[in-house]
Amino acid sequence: MSFPLHFSAEVKAAIENKKPIVALESTIISHGMPYPKNVATAREVEKIVRANGAIPATIAILNGNIHVGLDDDQMELLGNSKGVWKVSLRDLPYVVSQKLNGATTVAATMRIASLAGIKIFVTGGIGGVHRGAETTMDISADLTEMAQTNVAVVSAGVKSILDIGLTLEYLETLGVPVVTFGSPDFPSFYSRKSGFATPLQLNTPKDIAALLEAKWEMGLNGSVMIANPIPADKEYPFEKMEGFIQSALKAADDKNITGKETTPFILKFIADATGGESLESNIALVFNNAVLGARIAVALN
Ligand code: PSU
Ligand code: MN
């Protein structure tokens, strides 16, 4: 490798001692949630991963250096400073060579996790096929990355700001298994249901780990989408959310928001419109995913 990965002491020790490790993304910190809840959530997620037997490795780029495992000051900087890049795959070489600060998306985090030898990655929601993609062609690089990189992604499903049906079709085309933990319904982030049945259901971390092993042992490269429904008492009502999403999409259209700005714009619009209520659901589901991700990492180890 012609560039170094900068490991925190905790992650370095975990690699040396072959402990289970869970990768965490940083776009959710810099562009997915408002300060200071973003930083508090990121720290709590790391604690939850540890409490469930694995070591957390939050991934980000600082001054062009790729970090795997962050300290408190680095987390604070990502959560509370201007000009942090949202780094998907195509942005990686620019932000590294220009020595900038960057928060990595699911796609970029997966790739770096893979370079670091980490197999399990926990986030809130992945990017997908956007509503209207048949004309905009707005399809997240998260999906194409999932087709090729051997890192499993635990999320709360696909947010209904996206076209959930098209996202599931696209994942099928790419050969990415979609497994929902403990439910026949594919979840839609704020809701336990999406109107779509899950393609696959497994009910224990052990069974999910066995599926990952089978996939990768067969040389079937790429990710597995592990969907973890939000706890029932934290759900945000589906109909209410749909109204806000419609408004958010219209506002994005009116303001000509396109490309990489689209997802952060819509997330912020919804958080503002729901008066922070949806943010509480968002935080709860990330915690829930951290528990499952750590348990799968332990089972896989
Ligand atoms: N969905 C969320 N919260 C997020 C994201 C998506 O509910 O923070 C972030 C993730 O980092 C994801 C990225 O990888 O947005 C997708 O961006 P895009 O659609 O531009 O690929
Ligand atoms: Mn996009």
Side-chain angles (χ1 to χ4, degrees), residues 15 30 40 58 113 115 122 140 153 155 190 228 291 298:
I15 293 170
S30 300
T58 305
L115 292 173
V122 164
S140 175
V153 180
S155 75
Y190 296 115
N228 189 27
V291 174
V298 169

Side-chain angles (χ1 to χ4, degrees), residues 25-33 86-88 90 103-109 121 123-128 130 138-143 157 159 161-162 189-190 259-264 267 282 285:
E25 63 150 313
S26 44
T27 292
I28 189 172
I29 304 173
S30 300
H31 304 284
M33 284 185 195
K86 175 183 163 190
V87 179
S88 190
R90 58 133 193 219
T104 49
T105 63
V106 169
T109 307
F121 168 25
T123 186
I126 63 161
H130 283 255
D138 191 352
I139 299 173
S140 175
D142 292 354
L143 298 186
K159 225 184 215 147
I161 62 172
L162 303 169
F189 201 85
Y190 296 115
K260 68 186 284 191
E261 308 306 331
T262 304
T263 299
L267 294 179
N282 195 343
L285 67 84

